Protein backbone atom coordinates (compact mmCIF):
# COMPACT_ATOMS: atom_id res chain seq x y z
CA UNK A 1 0.00 0.00 0.00
CA UNK A 2 1.09 3.50 -0.80
CA UNK A 3 1.65 5.49 2.33
CA UNK A 4 1.81 9.27 2.46
CA UNK A 5 2.42 10.74 5.88
CA UNK A 6 2.32 14.30 7.10
CA UNK A 7 4.23 15.53 10.10
CA UNK A 8 1.30 16.87 12.09
CA UNK A 9 -2.47 16.41 12.08
CA UNK A 10 -3.10 19.66 13.92
CA UNK A 11 -0.90 22.72 14.19
CA UNK A 12 -1.45 26.10 15.82
CA UNK A 13 0.90 28.96 14.99
CA UNK A 14 1.00 32.70 15.48
CA UNK A 15 0.94 35.37 12.81
CA UNK A 16 4.41 36.02 11.44
CA UNK A 17 5.87 32.67 12.40
CA UNK A 18 7.70 30.55 9.87
CA UNK A 19 5.88 27.25 9.47
CA UNK A 20 7.13 23.98 8.02
CA UNK A 21 4.77 21.25 6.88
CA UNK A 22 6.44 17.97 6.06
CA UNK A 23 5.24 15.21 3.78
CA UNK A 24 6.87 11.83 3.23
CA UNK A 25 5.89 9.08 0.79
CA UNK A 26 7.25 5.57 0.78
CA UNK A 27 6.51 4.42 -2.76
CA UNK A 28 9.36 6.04 -4.67
CA UNK A 29 6.92 8.35 -6.47
CA UNK A 30 8.35 11.04 -8.71
CA UNK A 31 5.52 13.52 -8.27
CA UNK A 32 4.44 15.24 -5.10
CA UNK A 33 1.82 17.92 -4.53
CA UNK A 34 0.63 20.35 -1.90
CA UNK A 35 -3.00 21.45 -1.77
CA UNK A 36 -5.05 23.45 0.61
CA UNK A 37 -8.71 22.74 1.16
CA UNK A 38 -11.20 25.33 2.33
CA UNK A 39 -14.99 25.09 2.64
CA UNK A 40 -16.69 26.12 -0.58
CA UNK A 41 -13.38 26.39 -2.44
CA UNK A 42 -12.41 22.76 -2.74
CA UNK A 43 -8.81 21.66 -3.19
CA UNK A 44 -6.48 24.23 -4.63
CA UNK A 45 -3.00 23.41 -5.80
CA UNK A 46 -0.22 25.37 -4.13
CA UNK A 47 2.94 23.76 -5.54
CA UNK A 48 3.99 20.51 -7.09
CA UNK A 49 7.24 18.77 -7.83
CA UNK A 50 7.96 16.21 -10.53
CA UNK A 51 11.53 15.48 -9.51
CA UNK A 52 14.04 16.11 -6.77
CA UNK A 53 14.92 19.80 -6.54
CA UNK A 54 12.29 20.61 -9.16
CA UNK A 55 9.17 22.60 -8.33
CA UNK A 56 6.32 24.24 -10.15
CA UNK A 57 3.82 26.80 -8.94
CA UNK A 58 0.21 25.81 -8.75
CA UNK A 59 -2.80 28.09 -8.64
CA UNK A 60 -2.12 29.80 -5.31
CA UNK A 61 1.62 29.89 -4.55
CA UNK A 62 1.70 33.33 -2.95
CA UNK A 63 2.96 33.24 0.61
CA UNK A 64 4.32 29.70 0.26
CA UNK A 65 7.52 28.04 -0.81
CA UNK A 66 8.53 24.40 -1.09
CA UNK A 67 11.59 22.24 -0.77
CA UNK A 68 12.34 18.83 -2.20
CA UNK A 69 15.85 17.78 -1.33
CA UNK A 70 15.04 14.06 -1.34
CA UNK A 71 12.65 12.11 -3.51
CA UNK A 72 10.49 10.92 -0.66
CA UNK A 73 10.10 14.25 1.13
CA UNK A 74 8.28 17.40 0.06
CA UNK A 75 8.09 20.32 2.45
CA UNK A 76 5.73 23.27 2.37
CA UNK A 77 6.97 26.46 3.99
CA UNK A 78 4.94 29.41 5.10
CA UNK A 79 7.53 32.15 5.28
CA UNK A 80 5.44 34.42 7.52
CA UNK A 81 2.17 32.84 8.53
CA UNK A 82 -0.98 34.90 8.21
CA UNK A 83 -4.52 34.26 9.42
CA UNK A 84 -5.75 33.72 5.86
CA UNK A 85 -3.48 30.69 5.66
CA UNK A 86 -5.59 28.89 8.24
CA UNK A 87 -6.70 25.83 6.33
CA UNK A 88 -6.43 22.09 5.84
CA UNK A 89 -3.24 21.23 3.98
CA UNK A 90 -3.10 18.03 1.98
CA UNK A 91 -0.04 16.42 0.48
CA UNK A 92 -0.28 13.91 -2.35
CA UNK A 93 2.06 11.82 -4.44
CA UNK A 94 1.87 9.92 -7.71
CA UNK A 95 4.11 7.76 -9.85
CA UNK A 96 6.10 9.33 -12.63
CA UNK A 97 4.95 7.45 -15.69
CA UNK A 98 2.30 9.45 -17.55
CA UNK A 99 2.10 11.89 -14.72
CA UNK A 100 -1.08 13.47 -15.94
CA UNK A 101 -2.91 10.24 -15.58
CA UNK A 102 -1.50 8.41 -12.60
CA UNK A 103 -3.51 8.20 -9.43
CA UNK A 104 -2.72 10.59 -6.64
CA UNK A 105 -2.48 9.26 -3.11
CA UNK A 106 -3.23 11.70 -0.34
CA UNK A 107 -1.83 12.05 3.13
CA UNK A 108 -4.12 12.48 6.14
CA UNK A 109 -3.87 16.27 6.09
CA UNK A 110 -2.63 18.93 8.48
CA UNK A 111 -5.15 21.33 9.92
CA UNK A 112 -3.26 24.56 10.44
CA UNK A 113 -4.66 27.39 12.53
CA UNK A 114 -2.88 30.74 12.47
CA UNK A 115 -3.81 33.03 15.36
CA UNK B 1 -8.09 29.61 -15.99
CA UNK B 2 -9.07 25.97 -16.09
CA UNK B 3 -12.24 25.26 -14.17
CA UNK B 4 -14.08 22.26 -12.88
CA UNK B 5 -17.66 22.77 -11.77
CA UNK B 6 -19.76 20.62 -9.48
CA UNK B 7 -23.06 21.18 -7.77
CA UNK B 8 -22.29 21.48 -4.07
CA UNK B 9 -25.46 19.64 -3.04
CA UNK B 10 -26.37 18.08 -0.78
CA UNK B 11 -27.76 15.41 -3.02
CA UNK B 12 -30.10 13.25 -0.98
CA UNK B 13 -31.09 9.80 -2.17
CA UNK B 14 -32.81 6.89 -0.42
CA UNK B 15 -30.92 3.71 0.30
CA UNK B 16 -30.92 1.41 -2.72
CA UNK B 17 -31.42 4.20 -5.26
CA UNK B 18 -29.02 5.38 -7.96
CA UNK B 19 -27.04 8.50 -7.10
CA UNK B 20 -25.91 10.59 -10.07
CA UNK B 21 -23.08 13.07 -9.60
CA UNK B 22 -22.07 15.45 -12.35
CA UNK B 23 -19.02 17.49 -13.21
CA UNK B 24 -18.24 19.86 -16.07
CA UNK B 25 -14.83 21.15 -17.09
CA UNK B 26 -13.67 24.06 -19.16
CA UNK B 27 -10.47 22.86 -20.84
CA UNK B 28 -11.34 20.92 -23.97
CA UNK B 29 -7.82 19.51 -24.05
CA UNK B 30 -8.15 17.72 -20.71
CA UNK B 31 -7.09 14.11 -20.87
CA UNK B 32 -7.81 12.37 -17.59
CA UNK B 33 -10.65 12.51 -15.14
CA UNK B 34 -10.84 11.29 -11.59
CA UNK B 35 -13.52 10.80 -8.96
CA UNK B 36 -12.50 10.94 -5.32
CA UNK B 37 -14.56 10.29 -2.23
CA UNK B 38 -13.89 12.27 0.92
CA UNK B 39 -15.47 11.43 4.24
CA UNK B 40 -15.81 14.23 6.74
CA UNK B 41 -12.47 14.92 8.41
CA UNK B 42 -10.59 12.53 6.13
CA UNK B 43 -8.44 12.96 3.05
CA UNK B 44 -9.69 12.17 -0.46
CA UNK B 45 -9.44 8.63 -1.75
CA UNK B 46 -9.68 7.61 -5.39
CA UNK B 47 -12.81 5.82 -6.55
CA UNK B 48 -12.34 5.76 -10.29
CA UNK B 49 -10.53 7.35 -13.18
CA UNK B 50 -11.54 7.51 -16.82
CA UNK B 51 -9.67 8.63 -19.92
CA UNK B 52 -11.85 7.61 -22.84
CA UNK B 53 -15.32 8.61 -23.92
CA UNK B 54 -18.05 6.29 -22.74
CA UNK B 55 -18.70 4.34 -19.58
CA UNK B 56 -16.38 2.62 -17.18
CA UNK B 57 -17.81 0.34 -14.53
CA UNK B 58 -16.28 -0.83 -11.27
CA UNK B 59 -18.66 -2.64 -8.95
CA UNK B 60 -21.48 -0.31 -7.97
CA UNK B 61 -19.73 2.68 -9.55
CA UNK B 62 -19.90 3.80 -13.17
CA UNK B 63 -17.99 6.76 -14.54
CA UNK B 64 -19.26 8.35 -17.73
CA UNK B 65 -17.21 10.69 -19.89
CA UNK B 66 -18.45 12.86 -22.73
CA UNK B 67 -15.59 14.94 -24.08
CA UNK B 68 -17.73 16.67 -26.72
CA UNK B 69 -19.98 18.06 -24.01
CA UNK B 70 -17.14 18.38 -21.51
CA UNK B 71 -18.78 16.55 -18.69
CA UNK B 72 -18.01 13.56 -16.58
CA UNK B 73 -20.42 11.86 -14.23
CA UNK B 74 -20.38 9.23 -11.53
CA UNK B 75 -23.28 6.86 -10.95
CA UNK B 76 -23.56 4.95 -7.72
CA UNK B 77 -25.98 2.04 -7.90
CA UNK B 78 -27.69 0.55 -4.86
CA UNK B 79 -26.60 3.52 -2.76
CA UNK B 80 -25.77 2.75 0.86
CA UNK B 81 -25.62 5.04 3.89
CA UNK B 82 -21.86 4.38 3.92
CA UNK B 83 -21.68 6.16 0.55
CA UNK B 84 -22.57 9.41 2.30
CA UNK B 85 -19.57 11.63 1.67
CA UNK B 86 -18.35 14.46 -0.51
CA UNK B 87 -17.40 13.43 -4.03
CA UNK B 88 -14.67 15.38 -5.76
CA UNK B 89 -14.16 15.53 -9.49
CA UNK B 90 -10.60 16.16 -10.67
CA UNK B 91 -9.29 16.86 -14.13
CA UNK B 92 -5.75 16.06 -15.21
CA UNK B 93 -5.06 15.47 -11.55
CA UNK B 94 -4.32 19.09 -10.76
CA UNK B 95 -7.69 20.78 -10.97
CA UNK B 96 -10.40 19.82 -8.51
CA UNK B 97 -14.03 20.74 -8.30
CA UNK B 98 -15.45 21.91 -4.99
CA UNK B 99 -17.25 18.61 -4.49
CA UNK B 100 -20.81 17.38 -4.19
CA UNK B 101 -22.06 16.24 -0.81
CA UNK B 102 -24.08 13.04 -1.07
CA UNK B 103 -26.46 11.93 1.65
CA UNK B 104 -27.95 8.45 1.50
CA UNK B 105 -30.79 8.02 3.95
CA UNK B 106 -32.14 4.66 5.18
Amino acid sequence: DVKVTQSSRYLVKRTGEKVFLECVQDMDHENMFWYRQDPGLGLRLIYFSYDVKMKEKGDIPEGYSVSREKKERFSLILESASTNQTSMYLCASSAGTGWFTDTQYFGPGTRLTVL
Amino acid sequence: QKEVEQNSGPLSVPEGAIASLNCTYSDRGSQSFFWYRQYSGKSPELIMFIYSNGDKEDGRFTAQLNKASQYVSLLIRDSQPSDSATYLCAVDKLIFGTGTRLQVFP
Side-chain angles (χ1 to χ4, degrees):
Chain A
D1 273 355
V2 175
K3 193 167 184 181
V4 181
T5 57
Q6 295 181 229
S7 50
S8 305
R9 286 303 307 273
Y10 300 93
L11 207 54
V12 179
K13 296 291 182 181
R14 298 212 173 269
T15 301
E17 281 192 79
K18 190 169 186 176
V19 182
F20 293 86
L21 302 182
E22 304 284 339
C23 176
V24 177
Q25 50 93 5
D26 66 357
M27 283 303 292
D28 202 35
H29 282 172
E30 272 73 22
N31 310 306
M32 297 188 75
F33 308 81
W34 274 107
Y35 295 89
R36 63 178 283 178
Q37 186 173 30
D38 302 285
L41 297 177
L43 273 80
R44 292 180 292 167
L45 182 66
I46 305 172
Y47 268 97
F48 64 101
S49 168
Y50 51 87
D51 201 353
V52 176
K53 297 190 185 293
M54 304 300 288
K55 60 185 179 184
E56 292 284 342
K57 293 180 180 179
D59 295 326
I60 51 165
E62 297 79 19
Y64 303 95
S65 62
V66 290
S67 172
R68 193 161 180 208
E69 296 295 321
K70 293 185 177 181
K71 192 175 186 180
E72 67 270 19
R73 187 180 298 271
F74 193 35
S75 303
L76 180 70
I77 304 155
L78 286 67
E79 297 291 342
S80 177
S82 63
T83 55
N84 62 13
Q85 291 178 310
T86 292
S87 185
M88 171 67 84
Y89 289 86
L90 290 161
C91 174
S93 74
S94 70
T97 54
W99 76 281
F100 262 98
T101 57
D102 286 327
T103 303
Q104 283 185 318
Y105 296 89
F106 284 85
T110 295
R111 184 166 293 282
L112 172 67
T113 301
V114 182
L115 302 175
Chain B
Q1 179 80 7
K2 298 179 183 179
E3 292 183 350
V4 177
E5 301 281 345
Q6 292 182 260
N7 188 318
S8 62
L11 173 66
S12 292
V13 300
E15 184 174 356
I18 296 175
S20 178
L21 304 161
N22 299 310
C23 171
T24 60
Y25 58 95
S26 63
D27 185 3
R28 192 170 285 278
S30 297
Q31 300 174 41
S32 54
F33 308 86
F34 301 81
W35 281 102
Y36 288 82
R37 177 176 61 200
Q38 186 174 25
Y39 292 112
S40 180
K42 301 293 186 181
S43 55
E45 54 182 346
L46 182 72
I47 301 174
M48 293 189 70
F49 57 86
I50 185 167
Y51 309 143
S52 305
N53 270 333
D55 295 0
K56 180 181 178 183
E57 188 174 318
D58 184 1
R60 296 187 296 114
F61 299 95
T62 299
Q64 299 175 319
L65 175 60
N66 183 325
K67 289 188 176 181
S69 300
Q70 294 176 240
Y71 82 80
V72 57
S73 61
L74 179 70
L75 301 179
I76 306 174
R77 289 182 299 281
D78 188 23
S79 295
Q80 302 296 310
S82 58
D83 294 326
S84 298
T86 296
Y87 289 80
L88 303 169
C89 172
V91 174
D92 290 338
K93 192 161 51 184
L94 301 182
I95 313 297
F96 280 79
T98 55
T100 298
R101 189 156 63 94
L102 173 66
Q103 293 177 336
V104 181
F105 56 91

